[in-house]
Amino acid sequence: MEQLDTLFQNNRAWAEAIKAEDPEFFEKLAKQQSPEYLWIGCADSRVPANEIVGLLPGELFVHRNIANCVVHTDLNCLSVIHYAIEILKIKHIIVCGHYGCGGVQAALQNQQYGLADHWVRNIRDVYYNNRKKLDGITDDKERVDRLCEINVKQQVANVCHIPVVQNAWASGQSLAVHGWIYSIQDGLLRNITSVVDSLEDVPDHYRVTEA
C-alpha cells in the first residue's frame, strides 16, 4: 500500500521552515492554545481556513462540515462551539461560506446523493424559506451564489440561537458573531452580515434564559 511519502516530506519541510523562523514555535504551541477566533467553514478542500486569513496553528479554532451548517441537533458542532466559548474564551465566531459550494448546489437539485441527503436537507430548508427571491434569478451560477450568501446568514442566526452563545452575552463575555463568504476565484473574503454581539440583536422568539 502506498505510504503517501510525499505528504511526510512536505510535513518535514513545513516544520523545518517554521522552526527556522521561530526555533521555539512548537515548544510554545505544545503548552497551550489560546485562539481568539472560532471558524465554522465548509469542508471543501479549496477553502483552507488558516491560510485564507494568514494565521498560524494555535491562532484559529476550526470546525468544518458540508456547507458550513450550524444545526441544532449536531452535537459535534455544538460541542465545538461550547468548548470554544466556555474553555477557550474565544472572542469571535466566524461563519464562512464560499461561492460555488457543492452542498448548496446539491440543495437546488431534485436528486439523491446518498447519506449526504440528510445533511443537505438543512440547506434545502434555507432554499425553501427563500424560494421566492431565489426562483426569480434565471442564471444558475448566480442563483447558487445567492443561496450561498443566504445560507451563511441563516447559519449566523443559528449560532446566535444557541444557549451557550446567549449565556456568554448575558454574563458579559465579549463575543461577536460574523458572517463571511469566500471567493475561490479571487481568493478574497467578503463580509456579508452585520456583527452580532449582544442578546438584543436576537429576535425575542429565539431568546432563551439560562436554567
CSV table of all heavy atoms in Angstrom, one decimal, residues 58-96:
chain,number,residue,atom,x,y,z
A,58,GLY,N,-2.7,27.3,16.2
A,58,GLY,CA,-2.9,27.8,17.6
A,58,GLY,C,-3.6,29.2,17.6
A,58,GLY,O,-4.1,29.6,18.7
A,59,GLU,N,-3.8,29.8,16.4
A,59,GLU,CA,-4.5,31.1,16.4
A,59,GLU,C,-5.9,31.0,15.9
A,59,GLU,O,-6.6,32.0,16.0
A,59,GLU,CB,-3.7,32.0,15.5
A,59,GLU,CG,-2.3,32.3,16.0
A,59,GLU,CD,-1.5,33.3,15.1
A,59,GLU,OE1,-1.7,33.2,13.9
A,59,GLU,OE2,-0.6,34.0,15.6
A,60,LEU,N,-6.3,29.9,15.4
A,60,LEU,CA,-7.7,29.8,14.8
A,60,LEU,C,-8.3,28.4,15.2
A,60,LEU,O,-7.7,27.4,14.9
A,60,LEU,CB,-7.7,29.9,13.3
A,60,LEU,CG,-9.0,30.0,12.6
A,60,LEU,CD1,-9.7,31.3,12.9
A,60,LEU,CD2,-8.8,29.9,11.1
A,61,PHE,N,-9.4,28.4,16.0
A,61,PHE,CA,-10.0,27.1,16.3
A,61,PHE,C,-11.0,26.9,15.2
A,61,PHE,O,-11.8,27.8,14.8
A,61,PHE,CB,-10.8,27.3,17.6
A,61,PHE,CG,-11.1,26.0,18.3
A,61,PHE,CD1,-10.2,25.1,18.6
A,61,PHE,CD2,-12.5,25.8,18.7
A,61,PHE,CE1,-10.5,23.9,19.2
A,61,PHE,CE2,-12.8,24.6,19.4
A,61,PHE,CZ,-11.8,23.7,19.7
A,62,VAL,N,-11.0,25.6,14.6
A,62,VAL,CA,-11.7,25.4,13.4
A,62,VAL,C,-12.7,24.2,13.5
A,62,VAL,O,-12.4,23.2,14.0
A,62,VAL,CB,-10.7,25.1,12.2
A,62,VAL,CG1,-11.4,24.8,10.9
A,62,VAL,CG2,-9.8,26.3,12.0
A,63,HIS,N,-13.9,24.5,12.9
A,63,HIS,CA,-14.9,23.4,12.7
A,63,HIS,C,-15.3,23.5,11.3
A,63,HIS,O,-15.7,24.6,10.8
A,63,HIS,CB,-16.1,23.5,13.6
A,63,HIS,CG,-17.1,22.5,13.4
A,63,HIS,ND1,-17.1,21.2,13.8
A,63,HIS,CD2,-18.3,22.6,12.7
A,63,HIS,CE1,-18.1,20.5,13.4
A,63,HIS,NE2,-18.9,21.3,12.7
A,64,ARG,N,-15.3,22.4,10.5
A,64,ARG,CA,-15.8,22.4,9.1
A,64,ARG,C,-16.7,21.2,8.9
A,64,ARG,O,-16.6,20.2,9.4
A,64,ARG,CB,-14.5,22.3,8.2
A,64,ARG,CG,-13.6,23.5,8.3
A,64,ARG,CD,-12.3,23.3,7.6
A,64,ARG,NE,-12.4,23.3,6.2
A,64,ARG,CZ,-11.4,23.1,5.3
A,64,ARG,NH1,-10.2,22.9,5.8
A,64,ARG,NH2,-11.6,23.1,4.0
A,65,ASN,N,-17.7,21.5,8.0
A,65,ASN,CA,-18.6,20.5,7.6
A,65,ASN,C,-19.2,20.9,6.2
A,65,ASN,O,-18.8,21.9,5.7
A,65,ASN,CB,-19.8,20.3,8.6
A,65,ASN,CG,-20.6,21.6,8.8
A,65,ASN,OD1,-21.0,22.3,7.9
A,65,ASN,ND2,-20.8,21.9,10.1
A,66,ILE,N,-20.0,20.1,5.6
A,66,ILE,CA,-20.5,20.4,4.3
A,66,ILE,C,-21.4,21.6,4.4
A,66,ILE,O,-22.4,21.7,5.2
A,66,ILE,CB,-21.4,19.2,3.7
A,66,ILE,CG1,-20.5,18.0,3.5
A,66,ILE,CG2,-22.1,19.6,2.4
A,66,ILE,CD1,-21.2,16.7,3.1
A,67,ALA,N,-21.0,22.7,3.6
A,67,ALA,CA,-21.8,23.9,3.5
A,67,ALA,C,-21.9,24.7,4.8
A,67,ALA,O,-22.9,25.5,5.0
A,67,ALA,CB,-23.2,23.6,2.9
A,68,ASN,N,-20.9,24.6,5.7
A,68,ASN,CA,-20.8,25.4,6.9
A,68,ASN,C,-22.1,25.6,7.6
A,68,ASN,O,-22.5,26.7,8.0
A,68,ASN,CB,-20.2,26.8,6.5
A,68,ASN,CG,-20.8,27.4,5.3
A,68,ASN,OD1,-20.2,27.2,4.2
A,68,ASN,ND2,-21.8,28.2,5.4
A,69,CYS,N,-22.7,24.5,7.9
A,69,CYS,CA,-24.0,24.5,8.6
A,69,CYS,C,-23.9,24.4,10.1
A,69,CYS,O,-23.0,23.8,10.7
A,69,CYS,CB,-24.9,23.3,8.2
A,69,CYS,SG,-25.5,23.5,6.5
A,70,VAL,N,-24.8,25.1,10.8
A,70,VAL,CA,-24.9,25.1,12.3
A,70,VAL,C,-26.3,24.5,12.6
A,70,VAL,O,-27.2,25.3,12.5
A,70,VAL,CB,-24.6,26.4,12.9
A,70,VAL,CG1,-24.8,26.3,14.4
A,70,VAL,CG2,-23.2,26.9,12.6
A,71,VAL,N,-26.4,23.3,12.9
A,71,VAL,CA,-27.6,22.6,13.1
A,71,VAL,C,-27.9,22.3,14.6
A,71,VAL,O,-27.0,21.8,15.2
A,71,VAL,CB,-27.7,21.3,12.3
A,71,VAL,CG1,-29.0,20.6,12.4
A,71,VAL,CG2,-27.3,21.6,10.8
A,72,HIS,N,-29.1,22.6,15.0
A,72,HIS,CA,-29.3,22.5,16.5
A,72,HIS,C,-29.3,21.1,17.0
A,72,HIS,O,-29.3,20.8,18.2
A,72,HIS,CB,-30.7,23.1,16.8
A,72,HIS,CG,-31.9,22.4,16.3
A,72,HIS,ND1,-32.3,22.4,15.0
A,72,HIS,CD2,-32.7,21.5,17.0
A,72,HIS,CE1,-33.4,21.7,14.9
A,72,HIS,NE2,-33.6,21.1,16.0
A,73,THR,N,-29.2,20.1,16.1
A,73,THR,CA,-29.1,18.7,16.6
A,73,THR,C,-27.7,18.1,16.3
A,73,THR,O,-27.5,16.9,16.6
A,73,THR,CB,-30.2,17.8,15.8
A,73,THR,OG1,-30.0,18.0,14.4
A,73,THR,CG2,-31.6,18.2,16.2
A,74,ASP,N,-26.8,18.9,15.8
A,74,ASP,CA,-25.5,18.4,15.5
A,74,ASP,C,-24.6,18.6,16.8
A,74,ASP,O,-24.0,19.6,17.0
A,74,ASP,CB,-24.9,19.2,14.3
A,74,ASP,CG,-23.5,18.8,14.0
A,74,ASP,OD1,-23.0,17.8,14.5
A,74,ASP,OD2,-22.8,19.5,13.2
A,75,LEU,N,-24.4,17.5,17.5
A,75,LEU,CA,-23.7,17.6,18.8
A,75,LEU,C,-22.2,17.8,18.5
A,75,LEU,O,-21.5,18.4,19.4
A,75,LEU,CB,-23.8,16.3,19.6
A,75,LEU,CG,-25.3,15.9,20.0
A,75,LEU,CD1,-25.3,14.7,20.9
A,75,LEU,CD2,-25.8,17.1,20.8
A,76,ASN,N,-21.7,17.5,17.4
A,76,ASN,CA,-20.3,17.8,17.1
A,76,ASN,C,-20.1,19.3,17.0
A,76,ASN,O,-19.2,19.8,17.7
A,76,ASN,CB,-19.9,17.1,15.7
A,76,ASN,CG,-18.5,17.2,15.4
A,76,ASN,OD1,-17.7,17.9,16.0
A,76,ASN,ND2,-18.1,16.6,14.3
A,77,CYS,N,-20.8,20.0,16.2
A,77,CYS,CA,-20.7,21.4,16.1
A,77,CYS,C,-21.0,22.1,17.4
A,77,CYS,O,-20.3,23.0,17.8
A,77,CYS,CB,-21.6,21.9,14.9
A,77,CYS,SG,-21.5,23.7,14.6
A,78,LEU,N,-22.1,21.7,18.0
A,78,LEU,CA,-22.5,22.3,19.3
A,78,LEU,C,-21.4,22.2,20.4
A,78,LEU,O,-21.1,23.1,21.1
A,78,LEU,CB,-23.8,21.8,19.8
A,78,LEU,CG,-25.0,22.0,18.9
A,78,LEU,CD1,-26.2,21.3,19.5
A,78,LEU,CD2,-25.3,23.5,18.7
A,79,SER,N,-20.7,21.0,20.4
A,79,SER,CA,-19.7,20.8,21.3
A,79,SER,C,-18.5,21.7,21.0
A,79,SER,O,-17.8,22.2,22.0
A,79,SER,CB,-19.2,19.3,21.3
A,79,SER,OG,-20.3,18.5,21.7
A,80,VAL,N,-18.1,21.8,19.8
A,80,VAL,CA,-17.0,22.7,19.4
A,80,VAL,C,-17.3,24.1,19.9
A,80,VAL,O,-16.5,24.8,20.4
A,80,VAL,CB,-16.8,22.7,17.9
A,80,VAL,CG1,-15.9,23.8,17.4
A,80,VAL,CG2,-16.2,21.3,17.5
A,81,ILE,N,-18.6,24.6,19.6
A,81,ILE,CA,-18.9,26.0,20.0
A,81,ILE,C,-18.9,26.1,21.5
A,81,ILE,O,-18.4,27.1,22.0
A,81,ILE,CB,-20.3,26.3,19.4
A,81,ILE,CG1,-20.3,26.4,17.9
A,81,ILE,CG2,-20.8,27.6,20.0
A,81,ILE,CD1,-21.6,26.6,17.3
A,82,HIS,N,-19.4,25.1,22.2
A,82,HIS,CA,-19.4,25.2,23.7
A,82,HIS,C,-18.0,25.2,24.2
A,82,HIS,O,-17.6,26.1,25.1
A,82,HIS,CB,-20.1,24.0,24.2
A,82,HIS,CG,-20.3,24.0,25.7
A,82,HIS,ND1,-19.3,23.6,26.6
A,82,HIS,CD2,-21.3,24.4,26.5
A,82,HIS,CE1,-19.8,23.7,27.8
A,82,HIS,NE2,-21.0,24.2,27.8
A,83,TYR,N,-17.1,24.4,23.7
A,83,TYR,CA,-15.7,24.4,24.2
A,83,TYR,C,-15.0,25.7,23.8
A,83,TYR,O,-14.2,26.2,24.7
A,83,TYR,CB,-15.0,23.2,23.5
A,83,TYR,CG,-13.5,23.0,24.0
A,83,TYR,CD1,-13.3,22.4,25.2
A,83,TYR,CD2,-12.5,23.6,23.3
A,83,TYR,CE1,-12.0,22.2,25.6
A,83,TYR,CE2,-11.2,23.4,23.7
A,83,TYR,CZ,-10.9,22.8,24.9
A,83,TYR,OH,-9.6,22.6,25.3
A,84,ALA,N,-15.3,26.2,22.6
A,84,ALA,CA,-14.6,27.5,22.2
A,84,ALA,C,-15.0,28.6,23.1
A,84,ALA,O,-14.2,29.5,23.5
A,84,ALA,CB,-15.0,27.8,20.8
A,85,ILE,N,-16.3,28.7,23.5
A,85,ILE,CA,-16.7,29.8,24.4
A,85,ILE,C,-16.4,29.6,25.8
A,85,ILE,O,-15.9,30.5,26.5
A,85,ILE,CB,-18.3,29.9,24.2
A,85,ILE,CG1,-18.6,30.4,22.8
A,85,ILE,CG2,-18.8,30.9,25.2
A,85,ILE,CD1,-20.1,30.4,22.5
A,86,GLU,N,-16.7,28.4,26.4
A,86,GLU,CA,-16.6,28.1,27.8
A,86,GLU,C,-15.1,27.9,28.2
A,86,GLU,O,-14.7,28.4,29.3
A,86,GLU,CB,-17.4,26.9,28.2
A,86,GLU,CG,-18.9,27.2,28.1
A,86,GLU,CD,-19.4,28.1,29.2
A,86,GLU,OE1,-19.0,27.9,30.4
A,86,GLU,OE2,-20.2,29.0,28.9
A,87,ILE,N,-14.3,27.2,27.4
A,87,ILE,CA,-13.0,26.9,27.8
A,87,ILE,C,-11.9,27.8,27.2
A,87,ILE,O,-11.1,28.4,27.9
A,87,ILE,CB,-12.6,25.4,27.4
A,87,ILE,CG1,-13.7,24.5,28.0
A,87,ILE,CG2,-11.2,25.0,27.9
A,87,ILE,CD1,-13.9,24.6,29.5
A,88,LEU,N,-12.0,28.0,25.9
A,88,LEU,CA,-11.0,28.8,25.2
A,88,LEU,C,-11.3,30.3,25.3
A,88,LEU,O,-10.4,31.1,25.1
A,88,LEU,CB,-10.9,28.4,23.7
A,88,LEU,CG,-10.5,27.0,23.4
A,88,LEU,CD1,-10.5,26.8,21.9
A,88,LEU,CD2,-9.1,26.7,24.0
A,89,LYS,N,-12.5,30.7,25.6
A,89,LYS,CA,-12.9,32.1,25.8
A,89,LYS,C,-12.7,32.9,24.5
A,89,LYS,O,-12.2,34.0,24.5
A,89,LYS,CB,-12.2,32.7,26.9
A,89,LYS,CG,-12.4,32.0,28.3
A,89,LYS,CD,-13.9,32.0,28.7
A,89,LYS,CE,-14.1,31.4,30.1
A,89,LYS,NZ,-15.5,31.3,30.5
A,90,ILE,N,-13.0,32.2,23.3
A,90,ILE,CA,-12.8,32.9,22.1
A,90,ILE,C,-13.7,34.2,22.0
A,90,ILE,O,-14.7,34.3,22.7
A,90,ILE,CB,-13.1,32.0,20.9
A,90,ILE,CG1,-14.5,31.4,21.0
A,90,ILE,CG2,-12.0,30.9,20.7
A,90,ILE,CD1,-15.5,32.1,20.2
A,91,LYS,N,-13.3,35.2,21.2
A,91,LYS,CA,-14.0,36.4,21.2
A,91,LYS,C,-14.8,36.6,19.9
A,91,LYS,O,-15.6,37.5,19.8
A,91,LYS,CB,-13.0,37.6,21.3
A,91,LYS,CG,-12.2,37.6,22.6
A,91,LYS,CD,-11.2,38.8,22.7
A,91,LYS,CE,-10.5,38.8,24.1
A,91,LYS,NZ,-9.5,39.9,24.1
A,92,HIS,N,-14.5,35.8,18.9
A,92,HIS,CA,-15.2,35.9,17.6
A,92,HIS,C,-15.5,34.6,17.1
A,92,HIS,O,-14.7,33.6,17.1
A,92,HIS,CB,-14.3,36.6,16.6
A,92,HIS,CG,-13.9,38.0,17.0
A,92,HIS,ND1,-14.6,39.1,16.8
A,92,HIS,CD2,-12.8,38.4,17.7
A,92,HIS,CE1,-14.0,40.2,17.3
A,92,HIS,NE2,-12.9,39.8,17.8
A,93,ILE,N,-16.8,34.4,16.6
A,93,ILE,CA,-17.2,33.2,15.8
A,93,ILE,C,-17.4,33.7,14.4
A,93,ILE,O,-18.2,34.6,14.2
A,93,ILE,CB,-18.5,32.6,16.4
A,93,ILE,CG1,-18.3,32.1,17.8
A,93,ILE,CG2,-19.0,31.5,15.5
A,93,ILE,CD1,-19.5,31.6,18.5
A,94,ILE,N,-16.7,33.1,13.5
A,94,ILE,CA,-16.8,33.4,12.1
A,94,ILE,C,-17.5,32.3,11.3
A,94,ILE,O,-16.9,31.2,11.3
A,94,ILE,CB,-15.4,33.7,11.5
A,94,ILE,CG1,-14.8,34.9,12.2
A,94,ILE,CG2,-15.6,34.0,10.0
A,94,ILE,CD1,-13.3,34.9,12.0
A,95,VAL,N,-18.7,32.5,10.8
A,95,VAL,CA,-19.3,31.5,9.9
A,95,VAL,C,-18.9,31.9,8.4
A,95,VAL,O,-19.2,33.0,8.0
A,95,VAL,CB,-20.8,31.5,10.0
A,95,VAL,CG1,-21.4,30.5,9.0
A,95,VAL,CG2,-21.2,31.2,11.4
A,96,CYS,N,-18.1,31.1,7.8
A,96,CYS,CA,-17.6,31.4,6.4
A,96,CYS,C,-18.0,30.4,5.4
A,96,CYS,O,-17.7,29.2,5.4
A,96,CYS,CB,-16.1,31.5,6.5
A,96,CYS,SG,-15.4,32.1,4.9
